[in-house]
Amino acid sequence: MTFEPESLGQSRSDLAGALRTERKRAGLTQTRLAQLCCMSQTKISNIEGGKLTPTIVDVELILEAIGTTSPVVTKILALARTANTEWQDLWASRRRGVDKKQNDLARLEAVTTEFRFFLPTMITGLLATPDYVRASLARNPGDMSKTVAKKLERQQILTDPSKFFTFLLTEQAVRWPLASPIAMAMQLDRLASVSRIPNVRLGVIPLGMIGPIGETPLSVFTVYDRRLVQVETHTGALILRDHRDVNAYRDDFDRYESYAMFGDDCRERLSEWATRFRE
């Protein structure tokens, strides 16, 4: 299915209208439909009013309870999939203020328990030193001081014992010389230090750890519980909430994790690379 970014928001209202029409066609009240789906009447009302985006599973349950015919089911499920997809483009983010993105991430992190970060190209802000953060934002126009401060402030979540983090970094991400050699050496020391936090699991995938054909890492992505996946591209980020997408990325993460080095082996490799930067 091809997604048009400008259509993603509209699809939510289209989905709400289609589900409302099908319920009325079947002669069901919201209360009766809620009973058939084991949902609350408030949830059905919010879905039909466009206040709540239902999951694919929610939509499948509703359509089954209504007894919707096959061609209509296909159309409505397509709307549901589009409604569960969001595009955040880089230019809109810049117009809004790059620091505002940090607030959005902080709110998402606050309600997430389990995090999976796959980092094939560069080091994420939660793991970055101040020098690395500033270097990563160097191409953005304007004053980035607020964004730098908020990125560093977000790192406090790593010490929250109720949160669990797994970071997978490729050798390319770790060794890409984004900052000066001494700054890169300090950044690698920072990775080794973070890897000792009890609720953090940090692994690196050396270039020599070649996986099977077809296991090529394609993009940076983060999995938040089983709630959603954020996939980063050069011009923005794709937010996926469909449970099939989330499960697919979790499966990919598990495969990449099997190639990674953790613990003392990881720290030894990071130390070797840091030494090369210092030399």
Side-chain angles (χ1 to χ4, degrees):
M1 179 185 297
T2 300
F3 294 113
E4 295 295 336
E6 62 274 12
S7 72
L8 297 182
Q10 183 62 34
S11 68
R12 286 189 281 271
S13 59
D14 292 342
L15 175 61
L19 291 173
R20 184 170 58 252
T21 298
E22 285 301 297
R23 174 183 60 78
K24 291 182 177 179
R25 179 196 58 76
L28 296 174
T29 64
Q30 288 185 348
T31 301
R32 180 55 182 158
L33 178 58
Q35 292 171 344
L36 293 172
C37 298
C38 295
M39 298 180 187
S40 68
Q41 186 273 331
T42 300
K43 181 173 182 178
I44 295 294
S45 176
N46 287 337
I47 289 173
E48 291 188 359
K51 298 178 182 179
L52 174 67
T53 301
T55 66
I56 304 295
V57 174
D58 287 338
V59 174
E60 289 173 341
L61 287 172
I62 290 172
L63 294 178
E64 183 178 351
I66 291 174
T68 305
T69 57
S70 181
V72 178
V73 168
T74 301
K75 178 182 177 181
I76 293 179
L77 286 178
L79 284 174
R81 180 158 173 75
T82 308
N84 278 277
T85 304
E86 177 185 346
W87 170 250
Q88 299 176 348
D89 72 78
L90 176 64
W91 297 278
S93 178
R94 285 178 176 174
R95 288 193 299 270
R96 181 180 173 226
V98 180
D99 60 305
K100 302 297 191 301
K101 173 69 173 179
Q102 301 305 308
N103 295 336
D104 295 341
L105 289 172
R107 285 191 290 270
L108 179 56
E109 289 162 357
V111 298
T112 302
T113 299
E114 187 177 45
F115 302 78
R116 289 172 167 83
F117 290 82
F118 181 64
L119 307 165
T121 57
M122 64 183 296
I123 297 166
T124 187
L126 288 182
L127 301 174
T129 62
D131 284 341
Y132 193 95
V133 171
R134 282 188 285 269
S136 71
L137 296 170
R139 295 183 62 184
N140 286 275
D143 182 6
M144 290 290 107
S145 57
K146 285 185 178 179
T147 304
V148 172
K150 288 184 177 181
K151 275 180 172 283
L152 297 176
E153 181 181 351
R154 282 176 47 226
Q155 294 178 358
Q156 297 176 15
I157 199 171
L158 294 175
T159 59
D160 183 340
S162 69
K163 311 284 188 181
F164 301 91
F165 301 84
T166 303
F167 297 93
L168 295 181
L169 302 97
T170 63
E171 180 176 344
Q172 175 179 317
V174 173
R175 299 183 65 183
W176 188 263
L178 189 67
S180 68
I182 188 60
M184 289 302 301
M186 294 174 65
Q187 174 60 73
L188 269 61
D189 291 343
R190 158 78 176 166
L191 295 179
S193 176
V194 170
S195 74
R196 297 183 182 278
I197 299 175
N199 55 314
V200 173
R201 193 162 182 260
L202 188 149
V204 296
I205 306 174
L207 290 177
M209 298 292 290
I210 300 174
I213 295 174
E215 292 294 326
T216 305
L218 295 177
S219 56
V220 174
F221 66 83
T222 307
V223 185
Y224 297 87
D225 291 326
R226 292 186 178 273
R227 179 183 296 110
L228 63 86
V229 178
Q230 177 171 284
V231 184
E232 298 182 29
T233 74
H234 185 62
T235 57
L238 193 63
I239 312 299
L240 305 171
R241 296 181 177 84
D242 187 331
H243 71 280
R244 294 170 297 184
D245 292 324
V246 175
N247 288 339
Y249 275 95
R250 284 174 66 101
D251 289 343
D252 284 347
F253 190 91
D254 290 344
R255 284 194 292 273
Y256 295 137
E257 188 175 4
S258 68
Y259 308 139
M261 305 171 66
F262 292 92
D264 290 339
D265 291 338
C266 171
R267 287 186 284 271
E268 182 178 349
R269 190 62 61 96
L270 289 171
S271 179
E272 292 175 5
W273 294 337
T275 299
R276 294 183 187 180
F277 276 118
R278 289 188 172 91
E279 292 173 348

